[in-house]
Amino acid sequence: MRISGHFNRPTWSRMGLALLALPTFALANADLEKHMANNKNWAAQAGDMFNQRYSTLKQINTSNVGKMQVAWTFSTGVLRGHEGSPLVIDGTMYLHTPFPNKVFAIDLDTQKIKWKYEPKQDPAVIPQMCCDTVYRGLAYAEGKVFLQQADSNLVSLDAKTGKVLWSVKNGDPKLGAVNTNAPHVFKDKVITGISGGEWGVRGFLAAYDINTGKQVWKAYSTGPDNEMLMDPEKTMTWTDGAMKPVGKDSSLKTWKGDQWKIGGGTTWGWYSYDKATNAVYYGTGNPSTWNPSQRPGDNKWSMSIFARDVDTGMAKWVYQMTPFDEWDFDGINEMILADINVKGKPTKALVHFDRNGFAYTLDRVTGALLVAEKYDPKVNWATHVDMKTGRPQVVAKYSTAQNGPDVNTKGICPAALGTKDQQPASYDPETKLFYVPTNHVCMDYEPFKVEYTAGQPYVGATLSMYPAPNSHGGMGNFITWDAGTGKIVQSKPEKFSVWSGSLNTAGGLSCYGTLEGFLKCVDKKDITKELYKFKTPSGIIGNVFTYEHKGKQYIGVFSGIGGWAGIGMAAGLEKDTDGLGAVGGYRELNQYTDLGGSLTVFALPN
Amino acid sequence: MFRSTLIALSLAALAGTAFAQDKPYKVVDGYKVDEFTMKGFRAWRQAACDRCHGANQEGMVGPSLINSLKTLTKEEFVKVVRDGRLDKGMQSFGNSQVVMDNIDSLYAYLKGRSDGAITRSKVEPMGQ
């Protein structure tokens, strides 16, 4: 066999060996990192792997944003809640939709749809989705677009043609194990989680090979050490003021009987990755059921922050924020990685704004707990977090477990949807502050006994939510937060919860969307200064993003009310009712918006 | 005099209790119900119907049952609950033992709510 004339045999062998020596993972990471480093792109849901939601683009800035105009719009053809944002890579925009999870690739030169992919999914999946048929978005790497379908199938599509490269089943919708999260590409793996904490689904995080879709590892949130990928001696947790091994059966010891098998701890939020620690960071959701007396014990490791080795899935460290949850304070919100001064010391930090109303700062290398403070002054279910034990000090009056089943515990702040739900905050490396979209809502919560039936809701509480009393009367605030000291720096009240992901830019802006449907941009140095405001077609629960094309910067956001806050709107709200509690307080939304499904993209005038 | 007083007392007693031959529920003071209807309330809670129909049955993602039960026959009600309305987003409860074992009670509870005889969602046993 003749080898190509360009290479003689020894060179080819040397090259072959050199290729073998290169770890293949370096390529996948390098490709996505390259696209992320180009600030014209928005190559991942958070713009980067640290979840900072920050762009160095500054064409649109504080001096000219007041003149921003709508540049173009696109209707997705789908109603219901539009979460997440599109991606932009090298002049192509990739959009996703709520169920049925359509994918579009749009050529930004011509605005033509290059290809469209519409999965065939069983509509029986829809009623298995507790809180609207949302989907948080796509991931991209190496010429592939990754789609996490509601029916749990994780799909790899050729970015040029939309053809399916591989498809793998990640969960079992018949059990209520469906998906709403965006998949994330870290290294040579696609990381994804699962939903269904209200169906008794046992949560997990899983990694799939980027090229083949083969499952590389799967780490459960509850149960035996080997299924949780926990090492009793090496996995560390904050204990009495220091990092100590979790010990054997750290999860099993904190559940009664087999309850951990239907234990929840689902993983539907936003993950981050640091190649220096080689760890993926994420949080776990509520333990099942919402009736705490049925599951005595700390219910580890629900409500926890995890750092896992991205190659093996082994847990490096873990920290539980809300042991023995009594309020549905899912711990899944985004883990933001930032190098900041914490109490004066330069720290490789992980910052997390939890549903439970506490903002946590941890050392992302060691897992040490550094700061845990309330980021809404009305939070009342706990007085503080004991910094030595890491445990919240629960106030008996607001303990739904102590008051008992069939008793309506009133006036708990925050409400179950938390001081912040999945809507992601942003970090600004210039101001060194975090820009946080929050909920300012309280609740009455009445638990009751329920039985588990596979595939049926396993809830066990009835809720009523309303604006935080004795406050400004609104249901949201946009705040800036100093994670080094644990203090609110500024707070801008909003009529409704700020349920969109924020974006910060080098142009001096912080932008977010409101439930009435306004895209707002404020001065990041003084967020009470609103510099731009525009009413888009429907309430916003998507994430603001930005990109540049042909020398022009664009800022965009999905509109389409829905999600947990907007679920009353998602099919026509009539009266003040409770359901999973969300409707009552948000009833007034119907005076501002109706359903929708579109992308609005803004730019400066020509 | 005694007879008219007796009649008046009987009428007063009847007014406090919605109890007619064709009603599947019994309710006193608007929220105290018989054990049969209590089972229906418990099934309603267990199945988390409120997440779509609202905690007061007044409708949310799914329609108001206060309205629906005015027009659905009992047989239609059982069919919808058992088979679901998949195209409209309602799952089938045919495999839910707690629902199907208590379907008659569930109907009674919801019918009482729809009739306005049961005046609030959270009911309590009559005995207390």
Side-chain angles (χ1 to χ4, degrees):
Chain A
M1 170 178 95
R2 246 188 119 237
I3 295 170
S4 161
H6 280 100
F7 304 101
N8 59 34
R9 212 171 171 74
T11 310
W12 184 252
S13 311
R14 270 204 298 279
M15 269 190 68
L17 282 169
L19 280 168
L20 280 169
L22 265 181
T24 50
F25 60 70
L27 291 171
N29 199 19
D31 180 82
L32 180 52
E33 280 184 307
K34 181 188 80 185
H35 290 299
M36 284 172 169
N38 178 352
N39 68 2
K40 297 188 185 55
N41 292 331
W42 189 258
Q45 284 298 320
D48 64 16
M49 294 188 191
F50 273 26
N51 272 343
Q52 290 189 359
R53 309 197 56 75
Y54 179 78
S55 170
T56 52
L57 291 175
K58 48 179 138 177
Q59 186 185 76
I60 304 175
N61 55 57
T62 50
S63 68
N64 59 27
V65 70
K67 298 191 178 65
M68 204 159 68
Q69 293 175 351
V70 175
W72 62 279
T73 60
F74 181 80
S75 176
T76 61
V78 177
L79 296 175
R80 306 289 287 261
H82 281 57
E83 294 186 356
S85 81
L87 303 179
V88 175
I89 292 113
D90 294 344
T92 301
M93 180 179 284
Y94 302 92
L95 297 87
H96 67 282
T97 76
F99 190 99
N101 307 136
K102 296 195 286 190
V103 182
F104 298 92
I106 294 182
D107 181 330
L108 291 176
D109 283 338
T110 59
Q111 282 184 345
K112 271 182 84 170
I113 299 171
K114 286 162 79 167
W115 55 260
K116 176 171 140 180
Y117 176 72
E118 182 161 349
K120 292 229 173 341
Q121 300 188 68
D122 186 350
V125 166
I126 297 173
Q128 303 286 59
M129 302 175 82
C130 80
C131 311
D132 201 14
T133 53
V134 296
Y135 172 44
R136 296 186 184 94
L138 304 165
Y140 175 95
E142 286 204 318
K144 298 182 250 289
V145 169
F146 300 96
L147 165 70
Q148 174 59 76
Q149 296 179 185
D151 65 7
S152 95
N153 284 308
L154 177 64
V155 180
S156 170
L157 303 170
D158 182 308
K160 286 198 173 68
T161 63
K163 291 246 172 337
V164 176
L165 298 172
W166 53 255
S167 176
V168 64
K169 192 159 187 269
N170 177 59
D172 187 354
K174 288 206 173 49
L175 297 178
V178 296
N179 279 91
T180 55
N181 63 284
H184 292 60
V185 172
F186 299 140
K187 234 170 174 177
D188 59 341
K189 300 186 180 57
V190 186
I191 309 290
T192 192
I194 197 73
S195 290
E198 281 63 54
W199 266 257
V201 168
R202 185 178 165 215
F204 62 83
L205 196 76
Y208 296 87
D209 181 285
I210 212 178
N211 292 309
T212 63
K214 192 161 174 268
Q215 192 179 83
V216 180
W217 53 259
K218 179 172 181 175
Y220 281 98
S221 305
T222 64
D225 293 334
N226 64 323
E227 291 176 19
M228 288 197 60
L229 300 188
M230 286 191 115
D231 185 323
E233 303 307 309
K234 299 207 178 109
T235 304
M236 310 292 266
T237 191
W238 186 251
T239 315
D240 283 333
M243 294 306 290
K244 302 212 174 98
V246 295
K248 195 168 177 299
D249 295 336
S250 60
S251 165
L252 290 176
K253 283 184 176 149
T254 64
W255 293 87
K256 190 169 126 185
D258 281 349
Q259 191 75 20
W260 58 268
K261 291 183 179 172
I262 47 175
T266 54
T267 49
W268 47 274
W270 309 93
Y271 326 133
S272 52
Y273 171 72
D274 185 352
K275 62 183 176 180
T277 57
N278 200 35
V280 53
Y281 301 92
Y282 69 101
T284 58
N286 61 298
S288 302
T289 84
W290 288 28
N291 178 21
S293 48
Q294 285 181 246
R295 44 163 174 82
D298 275 354
N299 308 138
K300 284 173 158 59
W301 287 89
S302 65
M303 307 307 214
S304 300
I305 301 177
F306 269 96
R308 288 188 182 277
D309 181 295
V310 82
D311 293 316
T312 63
M314 288 303 292
K316 293 171 184 276
W317 58 259
V318 63
Y319 166 64
Q320 189 181 41
M321 297 172 280
T322 311
F324 186 54
D325 168 68
E326 305 169 43
W327 310 273
D328 190 48
F329 291 147
D330 288 55
I332 59 85
N333 291 347
E334 71 284 3
M335 301 299 160
I336 306 177
L337 309 181
D339 296 346
I340 54 174
N341 282 343
V342 180
K343 304 204 161 135
K345 240 182 99 196
T347 305
K348 287 187 180 295
L350 176 152
V351 177
H352 168 78
F353 298 93
D354 197 65
R355 286 259 286 270
N356 71 8
F358 286 89
Y360 297 86
T361 307
L362 281 77
D363 181 317
R364 68 177 181 267
V365 179
T366 63
L369 178 66
L370 304 172
V371 177
E373 299 289 345
K374 296 176 184 180
Y375 64 106
D376 180 319
K378 292 294 177 189
V379 173
N380 65 13
W381 66 277
T383 52
H384 65 289
V385 172
D386 180 311
M387 292 308 283
K388 220 164 160 268
T389 61
R391 297 180 77 93
Q393 303 306 292
V394 178
V395 175
K397 181 170 153 192
Y398 300 117
S399 164
T400 67
Q402 289 183 52
N403 292 332
D406 302 314
V407 172
N408 196 17
T409 298
K410 290 182 170 225
I412 306 164
C413 306
L417 45 67
T419 300
K420 194 179 80 62
D421 203 299
Q422 57 81 33
Q423 64 269 37
S426 48
Y427 169 69
D428 196 302
E430 291 181 341
T431 61
K432 308 243 189 292
L433 297 176
F434 292 79
Y435 294 70
V436 193
T438 73
N439 311 323
H440 195 54
V441 187
C442 301
M443 69 172 172
D444 301 339
Y445 183 116
E446 180 175 331
F448 52 86
K449 189 162 189 296
V450 280
E451 306 282 322
Y452 174 74
T453 304
Q456 302 286 337
Y458 183 51
V459 183
T462 208
L463 272 60
S464 172
M465 301 195 198
Y466 41 85
N470 306 315
S471 186
H472 56 71
M475 297 201 293
N477 289 304
F478 188 65
I479 68 166
T480 41
W481 176 261
D482 181 331
T485 55
K487 293 214 165 19
I488 298 172
V489 176
Q490 281 190 300
S491 185
K492 179 184 187 302
E494 286 284 344
K495 187 173 175 66
F496 296 102
S497 295
V498 188
W499 207 272
S500 81
S502 59
L503 169 80
N504 270 48
T505 75
L509 304 170
S510 187
C511 301
Y512 62 90
T514 73
L515 284 177
E516 305 105 301
F518 288 101
L519 170 73
K520 291 189 176 183
C521 289
V522 299
D523 184 330
K524 74 187 192 187
K525 293 192 174 141
D526 178 1
I527 60 169
T528 61
K529 285 207 202 119
E530 218 171 75
L531 302 175
Y532 183 77
K533 182 170 147 178
F534 181 88
K535 184 81 151 45
T536 67
S538 176
I540 296 175
I541 63 169
N543 301 339
V544 187
F545 72 109
T546 188
Y547 67 95
E548 185 182 299
H549 188 68
K550 290 199 160 128
K552 219 169 151 74
Q553 181 186 1
Y554 297 89
I555 292 177
V557 72
F558 277 132
S559 301
I561 190 72
W564 195 3
I567 196 162
M569 299 261 29
L573 147 63
E574 299 253 330
K575 290 195 190 155
D576 197 343
T577 61
D578 295 353
L580 277 178
V583 168
Y586 298 92
R587 174 172 49 105
E588 227 187 303
L589 261 181
N590 67 2
Q591 293 175 30
Y592 292 85
T593 184
D594 207 319
L595 299 174
S598 60
L599 176 72
T600 313
V601 181
F602 302 81
L604 298 171
N606 285 322
Chain B
M1 173 90 163
F2 177 68
R3 219 175 299 137
S4 53
T5 311
L6 186 60
I7 289 164
L9 283 170
S10 307
L11 282 170
L14 277 172
T17 311
F19 177 35
Q21 239 81 334
D22 57 343
K23 299 277 180 251
Y25 52 84
K26 293 184 184 66
V27 59
V28 167
D29 297 338
Y31 70 95
K32 293 179 184 160
V33 299
D34 61 310
E35 187 51 30
F36 180 74
T37 309
M38 269 309 288
K39 286 199 168 112
F41 170 65
R42 290 192 197 103
W44 159 266
R45 281 194 143 179
Q46 167 75 52
C49 313
D50 63 338
R51 70 188 181 93
C52 290
H53 291 290
N56 300 308
Q57 293 85 22
E58 283 169 11
M60 200 171 70
V61 182
S64 157
L65 298 182
I66 309 287
N67 289 340
S68 303
L69 271 279
K70 291 194 197 318
T71 49
L72 281 176
T73 65
K74 168 105 182 280
E75 288 65 38
E76 286 166 339
F77 170 81
V78 173
K79 184 178 193 309
V80 171
V81 173
R82 188 190 64 224
D83 300 341
R85 284 203 212 271
L86 294 186
D87 57 321
K88 294 213 167 139
M90 173 163 165
Q91 65 182 104
S92 79
F93 288 88
N95 290 331
S96 167
Q97 194 163 6
V98 75
V99 170
M100 299 319 293
D101 284 356
N102 296 292
I103 191 75
D104 296 331
S105 292
L106 182 59
Y107 177 77
Y109 166 71
L110 292 173
K111 189 66 179 160
R113 290 286 296 130
S114 175
D115 284 351
I118 303 177
T119 53
R120 66 180 212 202
S121 177
K122 187 175 177 187
V123 293
E124 286 170 28
M126 210 178 244
Q128 285 154 268

